[in-house]
């Protein structure tokens, strides 16, 4: 169940980032959420099983927030260039998250590409696999069709992110499930409430680092990668 600040909140919509901010009059952020967010049933979602990337052990999703808050980053796929760049961006927060007792977890929709992803060192948190994509479905992360994925993958947001990935020497491939989208879920300790439920509208959508920190009520020294100047002539998927 979504829980909001008991103070009067101001509802602001950021068109570029495609999510809502709920900001108390005192200035603190109470909730950040996607404009397409549905209510999250943490009990239902928490029962889904994930496979631990290191050991293959099956664990219930809810175990990841049982003893500490958790940032769950759901990748589209492990071979995705943009996803790899997003993973490196989010990983900039890992030292500050750890210092504040917050777990950082990456989830992929299939095991394909996991070995290469781990060897590439793109992500500093724990990695899990949702082989049946049950959590993806329950959280409303959409699946593209063979027709709709092409224009989505060629959109400006994807080209911008791909440009930053290429500038950082991050490459990708087109192997695996190309149709799944992802997002982010941030849950407080013990599953008391959902702090963030972010759903990608475009494969290039991602939650800015400062918004993650605001949702958790922590400060961080990490700086996000600069947005490149991008146009049809210089940016590629």
């Amino acid at each position: 169940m979504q829980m909001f600040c008991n103070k009067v909140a101001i509802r602001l919509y950021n068109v570029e980032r495609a999510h809502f901010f709920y900001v108390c009059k005192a200035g603190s952020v109470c909730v950040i959420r996607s404009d397409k967010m549905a209510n999250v049933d943490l009990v239902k979602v928490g029962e889904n099983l994930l496979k631990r990337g290191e050991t293959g052990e099956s664990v219930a999703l809810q175990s990841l927030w049982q003893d500490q808050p958790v940032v769950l980053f759901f990748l589209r796929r492990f071979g995705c260039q943009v996803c790899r760049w997003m993973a490196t961006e989010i990983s900039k927060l890992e030292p500050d998250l750890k210092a504040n007792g917050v777990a950082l977890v990456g989830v992929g929709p299939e095991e394909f590409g996991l070995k290469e992803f781990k060897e590439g060192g793109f992500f500093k948190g724990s990695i899990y696999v949702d082989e049946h994509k049950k959590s993806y479905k329950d959280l409303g992360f959409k699946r593209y069709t063979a027709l709709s994925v092409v224009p989505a993958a060629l959109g400006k947001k994807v080209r911008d992110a791909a440009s930053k990935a290429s500038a950082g020497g991050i490459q990708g491939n087109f192997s695996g499930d190309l149709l799944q989208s992802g997002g982010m879920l941030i849950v407080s300790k013990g599953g008391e409430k959902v702090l963030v439920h972010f759903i990608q509208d475009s494969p290039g959508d991602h939650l800015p680092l400062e918004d993650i920190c605001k949702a958790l009520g922590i400060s961080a020294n990490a700086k996000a990668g600069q947005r490149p100047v991008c146009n049809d002539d210089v940016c590629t998927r």
Side-chain angles (χ1 to χ4, degrees):
M1 180 178 68
Q2 287 297 312
M3 299 180 64
F4 299 93
C5 181
N6 57 10
K7 299 180 181 179
V8 177
I10 303 170
R11 190 170 183 251
L12 303 174
Y13 181 62
N14 184 311
V15 176
E16 179 183 359
R17 292 178 179 172
H19 53 276
F20 287 111
F21 293 77
Y22 286 81
V23 186
C24 296
K25 282 188 174 179
S28 60
V29 174
C30 302
V31 174
I32 305 174
R33 76 177 198 178
S34 164
D35 63 316
K36 295 182 181 297
M37 187 181 80
N39 290 330
V40 177
D41 185 343
L42 280 181
V43 174
K44 178 182 178 181
V45 175
E47 292 175 348
N48 294 332
L49 295 179
L50 303 179
K51 180 186 289 187
R52 193 185 300 271
E54 293 296 330
T55 64
E57 171 193 7
S58 290
V59 300
L61 182 58
Q62 62 192 1
S63 68
L64 302 180
W65 58 69
Q66 181 175 340
D67 299 319
Q68 70 279 305
V70 62
V71 175
L72 291 153
F73 169 47
F74 288 83
L75 295 86
R76 293 184 58 239
R77 57 188 179 88
F78 289 118
C80 166
Q81 181 190 28
V82 171
C83 298
R84 290 176 173 182
W85 174 78
M86 291 179 183
T88 63
E89 283 290 291
I90 296 169
S91 292
K92 294 177 180 179
L93 294 178
E94 192 273 339
D96 295 295
L97 294 176
K98 185 176 181 180
N100 285 277
V102 180
L104 177 61
V105 173
V107 181
E110 60 185 350
E111 197 164 353
F112 191 88
L114 174 59
K115 182 175 182 294
E116 182 179 338
F117 182 82
K118 290 194 296 183
E119 290 175 348
F122 303 110
F123 191 68
K124 293 185 178 179
S126 303
I127 303 175
Y128 293 80
V129 178
D130 182 359
E131 293 182 302
H132 301 291
K133 302 181 178 67
K134 188 68 170 58
S135 298
Y136 283 76
K137 181 179 179 180
D138 289 345
L139 290 170
F141 299 148
K142 68 182 179 182
R143 284 189 64 80
Y144 293 98
T145 65
L147 294 177
S148 65
V149 72
V150 175
L154 295 176
K156 186 178 184 299
K157 290 181 181 179
V158 178
R159 291 185 283 114
D160 282 357
S163 176
K164 285 188 271 191
S166 297
I170 299 173
Q171 301 299 318
N173 57 60
F174 291 95
S175 300
D177 183 356
L178 302 177
L179 304 181
Q180 183 63 57
S181 66
M184 181 171 288
L185 182 70
I186 303 181
V187 182
S188 64
K189 180 180 178 179
E192 293 182 358
K193 59 183 176 180
V194 174
L195 300 177
V196 169
H197 177 207
F198 179 76
I199 301 173
Q200 284 187 323
D201 184 52
S202 157
D205 285 337
H206 63 284
L207 202 61
L209 302 185
E210 62 267 27
D211 294 351
I212 297 173
C213 293
K214 286 177 182 177
L216 290 163
I218 66 174
S219 59
N221 297 317
K223 300 296 182 183
Q226 295 298 310
R227 181 175 294 277
V229 176
C230 183
N231 58 53
D232 292 336
D233 295 327
V234 299
C235 289
T236 62
R237 174 67 178 86

